[in-house]
Amino acid sequence: MSSIEQELRSQPEVWRAAAALAATVPAQLPSTGERVVVAGCGTSRYMAQAAARWREEAGEGETDAFAASEFPINRHYDLCVAISRSGTTTEVIELLERLPGRSLLLTADPGQPASSLASSTIGLPFADEESVVQTRFATACMALWRAHLGHDIEDLASRGRSALSTPLPAALESFQQYVFLGRGAAAEVASEAALKLREAAGCWTEAYPAMEFRHGPISSVGTHTLVWSLGQLDEGLQADVAATGAVVEQSLHDPMVELVRVQRAAVELAESKGLDPDRPRHLSRSVILVAGSVAGTGSDGN
Ligand code: F1P
């Protein structure tokens, strides 16, 4: 079994552990009313975006999210939360070096350089991964964050367990294009879903906030497309998508739970193409830049 498969299957237990950890570090996590920003790269960026949406929806305070490389350094925030599994990603390190204010790092490896630059660190070593492609570290950060917001992680974990065995979309391998849609936090998780299929299986994927789909992207879809919605599509949009000939998969689950199914789909697609889902092409476990080019770390599928 691939590392990614073992890691994605452990998510329900890892979410419970993350929720238990959240209860022990409330003072490090954002307080109600604070102006907060969340940043990261790749998967960690999409988790940052979802975290921001969940916090605002919970009424906890204004929350922005940025790719670490695009951070508006002159804005004032009470707290910047950086997410990095490795703790070595160059853009995250550079952000933490330049930040004028208070910062918190969520990482799987508190022994790495990012940790010494952040004002405080929450380590999730139990969620670390062998696979280059992130699954459980990303969702463990969300479980920690959501537990702090008062979401019911036990319920999510038991639904996550069911998501490990519910059938995947029929004829999954037959499509040329995979489009993920969602609204609110699900729109951000849709971007992560698209990244999973891209990284692990080299698929042509796209992601949009659902109501943006009509504003151009719908022109590229057809019978070659699976449109996978993380949440209920409104009736009009469902009809418009169906009229293109695309196949629609619609989930009523929480997007973090549905992401587990998408991760399984990424593994299945990779294996059907004879690819190693743990070792994506041209990608290393952490992107470390030396004078503008990639030095990389860990296994590299080149
Ligand atoms: C971020 C990241 C991952 C990506 C790959 C390279 O890493 O971009 O999202 O899948 O592993 O690194 P990190 O900062 O969370 O360690």
Side-chain angles (χ1 to χ4, degrees), residues 40-46 83-90 92 106-107 131-134 137 192 195-196 199 280 283-287:
C41 297
T43 289
S44 296
R45 168 196 169 196
Y46 296 132
I83 303 177
S84 176
R85 176 179 68 177
S86 62
T88 57
T89 298
T90 297
V92 173
L106 305 184
T107 184
S131 180
V132 167
V133 178
Q134 293 196 25
F137 172 72
E192 168 60 6
L195 184 66
K196 285 311 84 165
E199 285 183 331
L283 186 65
S284 47
R285 197 180 126 80
S286 155
V287 174

Side-chain angles (χ1 to χ4, degrees), residues 258-281:
E258 185 66 359
L259 183 59
V260 174
R261 281 182 80 229
V262 176
Q263 294 163 345
R264 286 174 50 217
V267 173
E268 190 168 303
L269 284 164
E271 287 171 351
S272 75
K273 292 177 167 187
L275 297 172
D276 178 351
D278 290 329
R279 294 169 58 83
R281 286 175 299 163

Side-chain angles (χ1 to χ4, degrees), residues 10 37 42 45 59 69 119 125 134 176 182 187 203 228 241 250 270:
S10 70
V37 61
R45 168 196 169 196
S69 56
S119 318
Q134 293 196 25
Q176 291 167 27
C203 294
W228 192 331
V241 176
Q250 201 172 182

Side-chain angles (χ1 to χ4, degrees), residues 27-296:
Q28 281 177 266
L29 288 160
S31 305
T32 303
E34 278 188 318
R35 192 153 184 273
V36 172
V37 61
V38 195
C41 297
T43 289
S44 296
R45 168 196 169 196
Y46 296 132
M47 293 303 100
Q49 292 174 183
R53 300 292 287 259
W54 272 313
R55 184 169 184 266
E56 284 206 346
E57 279 169 21
E60 284 292 298
E62 210 169 287
T63 316
D64 290 332
F66 293 99
S69 56
E70 298 294 334
F71 194 92
I73 203 75
N74 294 324
R75 286 196 200 168
H76 169 76
Y77 293 101
D78 298 315
L79 177 67
C80 171
V81 181
I83 303 177
S84 176
R85 176 179 68 177
S86 62
T88 57
T89 298
T90 297
E91 294 93 326
V92 173
I93 302 270
E94 286 180 354
L95 170 61
L96 291 170
E97 280 170 345
R98 292 166 63 216
L99 262 183
R102 192 160 59 93
S103 58
L104 164 66
L105 175 70
L106 305 184
T107 184
D109 191 347
Q112 295 300 327
S115 197
S116 56
L117 294 165
S119 318
S120 82
T121 296
I122 297 177
L124 299 94
F126 55 85
D128 204 356
E129 295 161 312
E130 286 293 324
S131 180
V132 167
V133 178
Q134 293 196 25
T135 55
R136 72 180 181 190
F137 172 72
T139 57
C141 287
M142 292 306 92
L144 175 107
W145 187 265
R146 297 180 71 180
H148 183 64
L149 294 175
H151 294 198
D152 184 347
I153 304 303
E154 185 49 46
D155 179 55
L156 290 171
S158 74
R159 287 194 274 149
R161 176 143 310 283
S162 305
L164 292 173
S165 55
T166 49
L168 294 176
L172 183 66
E173 292 84 7
S174 67
F175 300 98
Q176 291 167 27
Q177 182 192 28
Y178 301 84
V179 177
F180 292 90
L181 302 178
R183 301 195 70 178
E188 317 300 352
V189 179
S191 293
E192 168 60 6
L195 184 66
K196 285 311 84 165
L197 266 62
R198 228 178 274 142
E199 285 183 331
C203 294
W204 169 17
T205 67
E206 300 172 28
Y208 303 98
M211 298 306 282
E212 279 295 299
F213 188 58
R214 289 191 184 96
H215 295 272
I218 197 166
S219 302
S220 76
V221 308
T223 53
H224 60 286
T225 313
L226 175 66
V227 174
W228 192 331
S229 176
L230 308 187
Q232 176 120 43
L233 285 177
D234 81 47
E235 272 177 32
L237 182 54
Q238 212 173 314
D240 289 349
V241 176
T244 68
V247 172
V248 180
E249 173 79 9
Q250 201 172 182
S251 154
L252 302 183
H253 296 301
D254 179 279
M256 190 167 106
V257 170
E258 185 66 359
L259 183 59
V260 174
R261 281 182 80 229
V262 176
Q263 294 163 345
R264 286 174 50 217
V267 173
E268 190 168 303
L269 284 164
E271 287 171 351
S272 75
K273 292 177 167 187
L275 297 172
D276 178 351
D278 290 329
R279 294 169 58 83
R281 286 175 299 163
H282 320 301
L283 186 65
S284 47
R285 197 180 126 80
S286 155
V287 174
I288 299 178
L289 302 174
V290 178
S293 359
V294 179

